[in-house]
Amino acid sequence: MATEKAYKILSNQTGVSNSQAKSMIDRGLVYVGNKKVMIARGEIDEKTIFRIEKIEKTKPIFENDDIIVIDKPAHVNSDEIERQFKGARLLHRLDRETSGVLMLVKNEEFREKAIQEFKKDRVYKEYIAWVEGIVTEPQVIDKPILTQKKNNKAYSNVSSKGKPAITEITPDIVSANKTKIHCIIHHGRTHQIRTHMRYVEHSIVGDEQYGGRRAKRVMLHAYKVRLLGMEFIAEEPKTFINFE
């Protein structure tokens, strides 16, 4: 059996460049059958046929003179979204596989005002997630989070040396040993929901970095944000509604 690096085979099959092929694999968009290709440089059979998932389009939710709010698709970096909107700056970030409400600001005056609201924990942030196991009762996870960076990648842990972080959880639907939950977060630390859910042994489905089983994506969606008297909602993706 002749083998070759996965990204090179993908490049040959699709006509994209080697770097684009690597990026598609790194984003979690490339499958062989129902199995996600995890390592771009992994050696596989040259005759392997790939299936590529499409990225949803970026959908604007709201815009005025101060702010642009969009429904960010999964598999896209927040910085890539920023580049699509010239003259606007990210107010916050979502992880690459997290979808939902993403805000960009158009002027410095509004940005400063908004940052103060975040600092004072006056921004309402509600997420929807599918998590491992059965969650039957609402609960509040009040555990400090410490974030460290290694090889340009952030990783967070519950730690007494960390910064304050509170996540409120409400169960919604239980299906086949997993639960759809709503999470309201305070403080907004890096990977806060992912870290807290692993801590209570209900890792987010698809979040392999924090103990979840493999899935098409990390099943976490930024559903609702309230900021300075405005409310923004990004409806649940179809993958969340039809998830089994």
Side-chain angles (χ1 to χ4, degrees), residues 10-222:
L10 180 63
S11 171
N12 290 336
Q13 276 184 23
T14 58
V16 301
S17 69
N18 283 345
S19 62
Q20 284 174 305
K22 275 184 194 161
S23 174
M24 287 158 78
I25 293 171
D26 290 343
R27 287 170 192 270
L29 296 171
V30 181
Y31 287 77
V32 176
N34 287 321
K35 275 195 156 182
K36 193 187 284 186
V37 179
M38 301 300 290
I39 304 168
R41 294 178 179 276
E43 294 273 338
I44 58 172
D45 185 345
E46 280 184 339
K47 292 179 180 163
T48 301
I49 304 296
F50 294 112
R51 178 172 62 81
I52 299 159
E53 290 281 318
K54 283 194 177 140
I55 296 176
E56 298 285 324
K57 283 187 178 165
T58 302
K59 289 178 282 204
I61 294 172
F62 176 83
E63 182 172 0
N64 65 12
D65 291 340
D66 297 317
I67 193 169
I68 302 170
V69 185
I70 63 116
D71 183 353
K72 173 189 155 323
H75 307 292
V76 178
N77 287 322
S78 296
D79 293 322
E80 292 175 74
I81 302 289
E82 186 178 59
R83 288 195 288 273
Q84 291 176 31
F85 296 92
K86 287 192 172 67
R89 287 176 68 189
L90 286 168
L91 180 58
H92 63 122
R93 280 177 164 76
L94 295 176
D95 295 336
R96 183 164 66 192
E97 288 201 33
T98 303
S99 54
V101 176
L102 184 68
M103 298 178 287
L104 301 96
V105 291
K106 291 179 167 183
N107 60 71
E108 193 56 32
E109 188 185 344
F110 182 83
R111 183 175 173 273
E112 283 301 322
K113 225 192 296 185
I115 284 171
Q116 288 308 310
E117 293 296 292
F118 275 100
K119 280 183 178 169
K120 291 170 183 170
D121 195 31
R122 291 205 297 235
V123 181
Y124 176 90
K125 293 158 284 187
E126 181 180 339
Y127 288 70
I128 298 170
W130 276 97
V131 299
E132 306 283 2
I134 310 292
V135 181
T136 55
E137 299 289 332
Q139 59 179 301
V140 177
I141 306 164
D142 184 353
K143 292 289 175 185
I145 287 176
L146 178 68
T147 301
Q148 295 169 307
K149 281 205 170 175
K150 194 177 177 184
N151 300 330
N152 214 24
K153 257 191 148 184
Y155 191 78
S156 297
N157 266 312
V158 166
S159 167
S160 56
K161 296 173 185 168
K163 293 177 178 176
I166 297 171
T167 305
E168 302 175 38
I169 300 163
T170 307
D172 182 9
I173 297 166
V174 174
S175 169
N177 205 36
K178 53 192 181 299
T179 309
K180 184 159 85 170
I181 60 170
H182 286 253
C183 309
I184 297 165
I185 63 168
H186 303 271
H187 308 102
R189 306 301 175 199
T190 300
H191 299 173
Q192 178 169 326
I193 298 173
R194 298 166 66 185
T195 304
H196 274 167
M197 292 318 297
R198 181 189 55 183
Y199 180 79
V200 295
E201 299 183 344
H202 291 292
S203 294
I204 297 171
V205 175
D207 188 7
E208 294 181 75
Q209 186 178 357
Y210 290 93
R213 80 183 93 164
R214 187 171 294 180
K216 283 188 176 179
R217 54 164 290 191
V218 175
M219 297 297 283
L220 181 62
H221 177 73

